[in-house]
Amino acid sequence: MAQDIYLTGITTTGTPHIGNYVGAIRPGIEASKDLSTQHFYFLADYHSLAKNEDPKKIRQSTLEIAAAWLALGLDTDHATFYRQSDIPEIPELTWILTSMTAKGLMNRAHSYKASVQANLEGESKDPDKGISMALYSYPVLMAADILMFKSTKIPVGQDQKQHVEMARDIAGRFNHHYGEVFVLPEPIISDDTAVLKGLDGRKMSKSYNNTIPLLADEKTLRKLIMKIRTDSLAPEEPKETRDNTLFDIYRAFASTEEVEQIAQRYTQGIAWGEMKQLLFETINAQLKDAREDYLRLLAEPTLVEEELLKGAKKARDLATPYLRKIREAIGIRPLG
Ligand code: TRP
């Protein structure tokens, strides 16, 4: 069997938080240590345009996300780590795929439908309000990301599963029409335990403003952990571990034995203050070294830039000849 190729994109909106770490960065770095498979990780900065129109924020987010992956130990010699906008073949392939994408397929995208629904329920009643073509064709650009590198396995959150299926549909339709050019990808969905809760107990997400930044300084980290919402049970009262935000976050950072011990302490009635202190110490111990590297990279963005250009070179060495083949297949060829 051919070697599996893993590929995943990270949209450059916002500062990486511990939910991104547990759900994507840590498993991504871990998986990339498997030398029997290939790994592509990239910053989806063209995707971020659909949600973020502030140039300063896009640049800052790109820098912070790239620096975080590097500081946490991604091996960029094995994994290919690049910025989407450094690969001009991707937007070019996007247009080619657009011609093989049914408008009806795009109409069915959950994220687009949710925006339309919100508009219909809003004041203006205009279904198209604030919906750009970038938001509408978002899945086509994502299909180009995926198909460009013949990737077979796409690790994504549940919310992106449909987009990967659409990439598969588009590739299938293309192959049916022009011959076997694309490899059909399949989504790999992380289980729910990889979804971390935020300060208020809802899913940790920048849209809820309830995140703990991944490489925040010690003071900020401690302050935010102290803010995590708890109930008002007194220190000695027994407590439930189920659906408990502090426990859930702790579990994402501690060993099985440590988790068992703390579960014990819950039944005995650990004080929330003590649990928060313990959580702070556990997370801090794990991230301390990476935080130093991270701050160094933020202060020297050229080091990050160099890494991304190295990745772009590796990616383009694959994309350029493949795009030539794709253009050949659709009849865009030299005349003589
Ligand atoms: N849309 C994805 C997200 O918001 C990011 C992304 C862009 C992606 N291109 C991709 C993920 C290709 C996997 C494969 O999370």
Side-chain angles (χ1 to χ4, degrees):
M1 219 193 86
Q3 196 187 38
D4 266 322
I5 300 180
Y6 286 78
L7 174 141
T8 202
I10 313 112
T11 333
T12 50
T13 41
T15 293
H17 56 71
I18 62 170
N20 302 137
Y21 174 65
V22 169
I25 306 176
R26 190 174 61 189
I29 292 178
E30 211 38 57
S32 72
K33 294 184 180 146
D34 177 358
L35 301 183
S36 71
T37 48
Q38 279 189 56
H39 301 267
F40 291 82
Y41 299 105
F42 68 95
L43 302 157
D45 51 351
Y46 275 142
H47 273 111
S48 76
L49 284 180
K51 294 170 199 158
N52 186 351
E53 293 170 9
D54 180 337
K56 279 205 199 77
K57 280 196 189 149
I58 291 186
R59 186 225 173 240
Q60 185 61 20
S61 174
T62 304
L63 173 61
E64 288 179 4
I65 295 173
W69 280 76
L70 295 170
L72 288 158
L74 179 70
D75 174 358
T76 58
D77 289 324
H78 178 49
T80 305
F81 186 55
Y82 57 99
R83 175 171 45 197
Q84 186 185 40
S85 60
D86 283 335
I87 319 295
E89 288 81 3
I90 294 174
E92 192 171 341
L93 178 58
T94 303
W95 184 254
I96 295 173
L97 296 176
T98 301
S99 64
M100 274 288 127
T101 303
K103 174 170 177 286
L105 184 70
M106 296 298 97
N107 289 341
R108 289 196 288 279
H110 301 314
S111 51
Y112 163 69
K113 274 175 34 185
S115 304
V116 173
Q117 194 54 34
N119 279 341
L120 293 175
E121 285 161 14
E123 230 165 78
S124 80
K125 307 277 178 268
D126 171 8
D128 294 328
K129 182 161 183 275
I131 299 183
S132 64
M133 283 306 291
L135 181 80
Y136 188 62
S137 355
Y138 188 100
V140 192
L141 177 57
M142 192 158 151
D145 290 330
I146 293 171
L147 302 176
M148 187 84 261
F149 297 102
K150 304 182 182 159
S151 26
T152 54
K153 304 267 195 260
I154 316 297
V156 283
Q158 184 62 39
D159 63 327
Q160 297 293 317
K161 180 168 178 251
Q162 189 198 29
H163 290 153
V164 180
E165 288 163 354
M166 287 178 160
R168 197 182 166 88
D169 282 357
I170 297 168
R173 182 163 170 185
F174 186 103
N175 286 354
H176 183 71
H177 190 81
Y178 292 113
E180 292 296 313
V181 171
F182 291 123
V183 175
L184 303 193
E186 109 188 61
I188 305 283
I189 309 300
S190 46
D191 58 17
D192 272 356
T193 52
V195 176
L196 222 56
K197 293 205 188 93
L199 299 177
D200 56 359
R202 291 187 292 172
K203 176 187 168 192
M204 189 177 291
S205 160
K206 48 198 168 225
S207 28
Y208 294 148
N209 210 4
N210 63 357
T211 66
I212 299 176
L214 174 56
L215 295 161
D217 62 77
E218 248 174 57
K219 235 175 99 192
T220 310
L221 179 63
R222 182 196 298 268
K223 208 173 88 194
L224 287 172
I225 290 176
M226 294 302 157
K227 269 182 36 191
I228 293 174
R229 185 177 298 167
T230 54
D231 57 33
S232 53
L233 288 177
E236 65 287 354
E237 282 182 83
K239 298 174 175 70
E240 284 277 351
T241 54
R242 200 158 53 88
D243 278 338
N244 182 263
T245 306
L246 288 172
F247 189 78
D248 277 354
I249 301 179
Y250 182 72
R251 194 166 42 194
F253 286 88
S255 69
T256 321
E257 295 88 72
E258 288 170 322
V259 172
E260 274 166 22
Q261 276 172 21
I262 291 304
Q264 199 72 33
R265 299 281 322 274
Y266 264 64
T267 51
Q268 293 161 355
I270 190 172
W272 290 137
E274 187 187 345
M275 183 59 197
K276 286 180 172 176
Q277 178 62 25
L278 179 72
L279 181 61
F280 162 71
E281 283 164 13
T282 309
I283 297 184
N284 194 46
Q286 257 179 65
L287 297 179
K288 218 167 42 201
D289 293 347
R291 184 191 296 138
E292 273 179 36
D293 284 346
Y294 177 70
L295 293 175
R296 197 170 48 81
L297 290 171
L298 291 191
E300 267 192 88
T302 45
L303 296 177
V304 179
E305 185 66 24
E306 266 169 36
E307 283 287 354
L308 292 176
L309 294 181
K310 175 177 103 179
K313 160 107 183 50
K314 283 205 284 179
R316 290 199 73 194
D317 282 347
L318 299 167
T320 311
Y322 189 35
L323 187 67
R324 214 176 292 133
K325 246 187 81 181
I326 298 166
R327 288 171 54 142
E328 175 78 19
I330 59 175
I332 308 244
R333 330 176 162 143
L335 297 176

